[in-house]
Amino acid sequence: MIERAFAGNRFDLVVVGGGASGVGVALDAASRGYSVCLVEQADFGKGTSSRSTKLVHGGVRYLQQGDVKLVTEALRERGVLRDNAPHLVRDLELIIPSYAFWEKPFYGIGLKLYDWLAGRRGFGGSRLLGAAEVRAKVPGVRSDGLLGGVLYHDGQFDDARLLVSLALTAADYGAVLVNHCRCEGVTKDADGRVDGIKVRDLETGREAGIGARAVINATGVFTDAVRRLDTPESPALVAPSQGVHLVLDAHFLAGQTALLVPRTPDGRVLFAIPWHGRTVVGTTDTALEAPTLEPRATEDEVSFILETAAGYLARAPRREDVRAVFAGIRPLVQAAGAESTAALSRDHTLLVSSSGMITLTGGKWTTYRNMAEDCVNRAAEVAGLASRTCVTQRLPVHGAMKAADLADPRSVYGSDRGRLEDLQRAEPRLAGPVHPGLTASGVEVAWAVDVEMARTVEDVLARRTRALLLDADAAVAAAPAVARIMAERLGRDQNWARDQVADFRRMARAYQYRPEAA
């Protein structure tokens, strides 16, 4: 990939940013037959796209806000995602518990509208439940004062695994995608039109220019920094907002049904969701002055989640119960008069600068495909490319197959699972887990390097496997074993492995919640 990117060819489109938006654009463009190159300064999904609430959803809260257009679009795209990536997207039952007499009818009516907007792509109808039914589905719910609840359906996914699969799909269609390669500038022709980017390979320091008929900025929370490479005086477009999640043991829910707290003091909703044998609880909405590549949860955010969850769970989670904490930053588009980031739209924004740079920002994971379609349509006009129809609405994602058991950790590999197991038979020494507390095995580390473009220990433990998010301490303990396997595959020495472990341990501190430090 790096040699193809640096070969001096001119691409139809160059995409800056390897999150859901950027990879979605690369896939859309490549599947239409356009030549496309994508560069990402860190790893695919390093930022926001690997730190979501793990839901493919229409957005019940957006329905409360009256944004019917966004909800309808997201519900449609939710169905498309399940069809195209059945190994990664599954139906999830969620319950809004009722502790006041008015809650069941109020939320019940709203969720019937949610069902209706989903139409034939619905995941299942909502219904009212009695208190005993709620307790049966969610044994971990607080039963004191429980009057019942409303059950509805949405989708659940593994965000980073879907992103890796989308990148592999784009590569299957001929896209060039390079991680750990930073855009450091844009180039312009004699007429002042953007005609490429300047990049640096962060592994080697090698620099190059990559030419393009059009350049797309899909860098999420770093949108404004890239816009200013083109137009230094560009005003701020993005209002960054931090969302934090805590990861607890499975017994806090003790079932496969999620809980939704419909309104929290900061105007958001709070989810408690079963995911990969854990319970994920979140999120928050905290305005930030500036984005960072590795955001950290604040003590106030952790306290807010624990205190809110304690009102709805039979066993109140404590600080010492936290297996991991992760923070992500939403690239919300600024709006005049908005009182808080919670009030800002989650719809996407598409802009073209006077010099022709295209910026795609905002939006949400569920609508990535529709965002990409809009962007490539506009980019083709800007670049003067022949018009070609988008085909991603019915385009299977790499590995797509109906999984027999989505609870099986290897179901995320879909149809690649057989090849993974062939590798394990060929190299049986890789069969064991990298740590007793993790499901990730040595063969998955090797596969991540050989097939999935993983270049660092963090790439493997944070995104190719989800070890860092599921048990941060176990992931740190596993880092030396992972580094050894990677060094063998990549032809690196012991010094590289040692440095990788040290880098990962420093980064992982943000995920290791230490109650004694609170």
Side-chain angles (χ1 to χ4, degrees):
M1 290 291 190
I2 194 78
E3 293 308 319
R4 289 170 63 194
F6 282 28
N9 298 318
R10 188 185 189 204
F11 293 87
D12 291 332
L13 304 176
V14 162
V15 183
V16 183
S21 298
V23 173
V25 167
L27 171 56
D28 186 296
S31 61
R32 296 194 202 196
Y34 299 134
S35 63
V36 57
C37 177
L38 177 148
V39 297
E40 160 58 43
Q41 67 170 331
D43 183 33
F44 308 116
K46 160 71 175 180
T48 306
S49 297
S50 64
R51 304 162 189 256
S52 75
T53 310
K54 320 308 178 193
L55 292 176
V56 178
H57 64 137
V60 171
R61 182 167 67 90
Y62 312 136
L63 190 60
Q64 286 181 309
Q65 294 173 345
D67 197 342
V68 175
K69 176 181 176 291
L70 176 60
V71 173
T72 303
E73 175 191 329
L75 288 170
R76 182 186 69 245
E77 292 299 320
R78 180 190 70 171
V80 170
L81 253 176
R82 182 178 61 175
D83 291 345
N84 290 343
H87 58 310
L88 291 164
V89 178
R90 72 176 185 94
D91 170 54
L92 177 69
E93 289 185 339
L94 299 97
I95 290 176
I96 300 177
S98 171
Y99 295 93
F101 75 92
W102 58 269
E103 289 178 321
K104 270 208 302 187
F106 179 78
Y107 294 116
I109 291 169
L111 288 166
K112 284 299 179 187
L113 175 58
Y114 197 66
D115 296 342
W116 180 77
L117 290 173
R120 62 183 180 83
R121 291 194 180 274
F123 280 31
S126 60
R127 60 190 179 92
L128 304 182
L129 304 179
E133 291 177 287
V134 173
R135 285 192 293 269
K137 284 190 170 291
V138 190
V141 71
R142 179 174 68 84
S143 59
D144 179 33
L146 181 67
L147 301 177
V150 185
L151 179 147
Y152 75 102
H153 296 256
D154 247 321
Q156 183 175 41
F157 76 143
D158 185 319
D159 47 12
R161 288 301 317 174
L162 177 58
L163 187 60
V164 168
S165 296
L166 290 172
L168 293 175
T169 313
D172 290 342
Y173 279 89
V176 175
L177 305 99
V178 185
N179 51 355
H180 302 285
C181 184
R182 186 169 61 215
C183 172
E184 298 196 328
V186 300
T187 58
K188 297 182 179 181
D189 64 17
D191 296 322
R193 303 285 294 177
V194 171
D195 66 356
I197 60 173
K198 303 171 187 175
V199 297
R200 179 189 295 272
D201 175 6
L202 297 183
E203 290 188 1
T204 64
R206 179 180 173 191
E207 297 178 324
I210 303 176
R213 296 180 185 277
V215 172
I216 297 166
N217 170 15
T219 53
V221 296
F222 300 105
T223 290
D224 289 329
V226 175
R227 289 174 67 228
R228 288 166 186 152
L229 295 176
D230 168 33
T231 309
E233 65 274 15
S234 293
L237 177 65
V238 171
S241 165
Q242 177 162 289
V244 167
H245 295 81
L246 306 183
V247 181
L248 312 171
D249 283 328
H251 62 72
F252 281 94
L253 285 180
Q256 291 304 305
T257 301
L259 281 182
L260 166 60
V261 177
R263 188 166 183 83
T264 64
D266 72 344
R268 291 190 58 78
V269 298
L270 189 84
F271 291 96
I273 296 171
W275 188 68
H276 288 327
R278 296 283 192 262
T279 298
V280 177
V281 186
T283 181
T284 58
D285 203 324
T286 306
L288 299 179
E289 289 188 8
T292 176
L293 198 56
E294 196 57 68
R296 286 177 175 259
T298 67
E299 178 55 31
D300 285 346
E301 289 173 310
V302 173
S303 297
F304 172 82
I305 293 173
L306 291 173
E307 290 166 9
T308 305
Y312 292 85
L313 298 175
R315 178 183 169 188
R318 301 167 298 175
R319 282 168 170 74
E320 51 265 38
D321 295 316
V322 177
R323 292 278 192 153
V325 54
F326 63 94
I329 305 177
R330 307 175 189 90
L332 305 180
V333 177
Q334 298 206 43
E339 295 181 359
S340 70
T341 53
L344 294 181
S345 173
R346 268 54 176 174
D347 209 347
H348 65 276
T349 294
L350 191 60
L351 301 174
V352 181
S353 73
S354 59
S355 58
M357 176 184 276
I358 301 151
T359 292
L360 174 66
T361 194
K364 56 202 294 286
W365 232 124
T366 307
T367 59
Y368 88 91
R369 191 210 64 81
N370 190 54
M371 293 165 57
E373 181 178 351
D374 286 351
C375 184
V376 175
N377 287 344
R378 187 73 181 96
E381 294 175 4
V382 171
L385 302 175
S387 178
R388 295 173 182 169
T389 303
C390 173
V391 298
T392 55
Q393 190 160 357
R394 290 184 176 85
L395 186 72
V397 171
H398 183 98
M401 64 175 289
K402 185 68 175 176
D405 180 11
L406 282 170
D408 180 346
R410 287 193 177 175
S411 67
V412 297
Y413 294 96
S415 61
D416 275 344
R417 180 176 182 153
R419 295 171 59 202
L420 190 80
E421 291 172 349
D422 288 343
L423 177 60
Q424 183 168 299
R425 282 188 287 271
E427 301 186 54
R429 64 189 177 83
L430 298 174
V434 292
H435 184 274
L438 301 170
T439 61
S441 65
V443 73
E444 290 172 65
V445 178
W447 180 265
V449 174
D450 295 354
V451 178
E452 296 178 344
M453 298 182 268
R455 307 296 295 176
T456 70
V457 167
E458 180 194 337
D459 293 352
V460 171
L461 287 172
R463 289 171 292 279
R464 303 308 183 280
T465 70
R466 309 315 307 275
L468 181 61
L469 273 63
L470 297 171
D471 191 325
D473 287 347
V476 168
V482 171
R484 283 194 296 273
I485 296 169
M486 294 188 73
E488 289 178 8
R489 314 305 280 200
L490 294 169
R492 309 296 194 194
D493 60 19
Q494 290 183 348
N495 291 334
W496 179 89
R498 183 196 62 229
D499 291 344
Q500 279 290 304
V501 172
D503 288 346
F504 180 74
R505 285 175 173 163
R506 280 192 294 271
M507 184 278 304
R509 290 180 192 137
Y511 297 77
Q512 294 174 287
Y513 184 68
R514 293 286 182 259
E516 64 268 19

